[in-house]
Amino acid sequence: MKEATRLRQQLMAMTRRLRSQGSKDTLSFGLLTVLGAIDRAGGDITPTELARRESLRSSNLASALRELDASGLIRRAQDPDDGRRVRVGLSEAGAAALRRNRQLRDGWLQRSLQGLSAEERELLRRAGELLERLAAADED
């Protein structure tokens, strides 16, 4: 149990640091999260699918989508298979905003990685693969 607690604390510390770097952006973390989720979905998804996939409350998501739409960061289109549904995707401005935020976070991380030895960077790369496996593990 101590091992799991320590790993969780380490992951949370890294998450906070990356979030802190990303918070230097003009967009809120919540809006950036929605932009990132749309991007991960391939840039074309219904709000219902997005809420389910990202475990978001539909009321919070609807508010975020309205704000992103008003800012010109997403595009809305009628679903070609069901005209009652809407699909959302990133606009060019939304994709640019997401790239800018990722560059803020990745820039800090890249500079920090340069302070590590080649062996330490390789160890982190391998640890990252293990973290991906843990994240994909089934819940029991």
Side-chain angles (χ1 to χ4, degrees):
M1 195 64 142
K2 288 181 182 181
E3 186 176 58
T5 299
R6 179 71 178 136
L7 179 58
R8 180 185 51 77
Q9 291 170 338
Q10 291 165 329
L11 292 170
M12 292 304 298
M14 181 58 79
T15 299
R16 281 191 301 274
R17 184 61 191 261
L18 289 170
R19 191 177 287 180
S20 171
Q21 293 301 311
S23 72
K24 295 176 180 175
D25 202 318
T26 57
L27 289 174
S28 72
F29 178 75
L31 294 179
L32 287 162
T33 298
V34 173
L35 286 177
I38 293 170
D39 186 53
R40 284 189 302 280
D44 183 48
I45 190 167
T46 67
T48 301
E49 291 168 338
L50 188 61
R52 182 180 39 76
R53 213 183 257 194
E54 299 293 322
S55 301
L56 298 169
R57 289 197 340 227
S58 59
S59 59
N60 292 348
L61 179 60
S63 175
L65 290 174
R66 280 192 301 274
E67 191 172 342
L68 291 167
D69 191 30
S71 299
L73 298 174
I74 61 168
R75 56 175 171 66
R76 293 177 185 256
Q78 194 172 26
D79 188 308
D81 299 325
D82 183 347
R84 297 167 297 173
R85 293 187 344 194
V86 171
R87 299 191 74 80
V88 295
L90 299 180
S91 67
E92 286 185 32
L98 190 56
R99 274 192 310 276
R100 181 183 64 239
N101 186 265
R102 286 175 175 165
Q103 287 170 347
L104 281 172
R105 289 175 287 146
D106 291 352
W108 167 79
L109 189 53
Q110 184 61 47
R111 288 186 303 275
S112 298
L113 287 170
Q114 290 171 355
L116 301 177
S117 70
E119 293 82 19
E120 289 170 323
R121 288 192 303 274
E122 175 59 19
L123 183 60
L124 275 176
R125 186 196 62 74
R126 291 177 41 219
E129 292 173 358
L130 292 173
L131 290 172
E132 287 174 343
R133 281 182 37 206
L134 284 175
D138 291 334
E139 290 185 40
D140 291 340

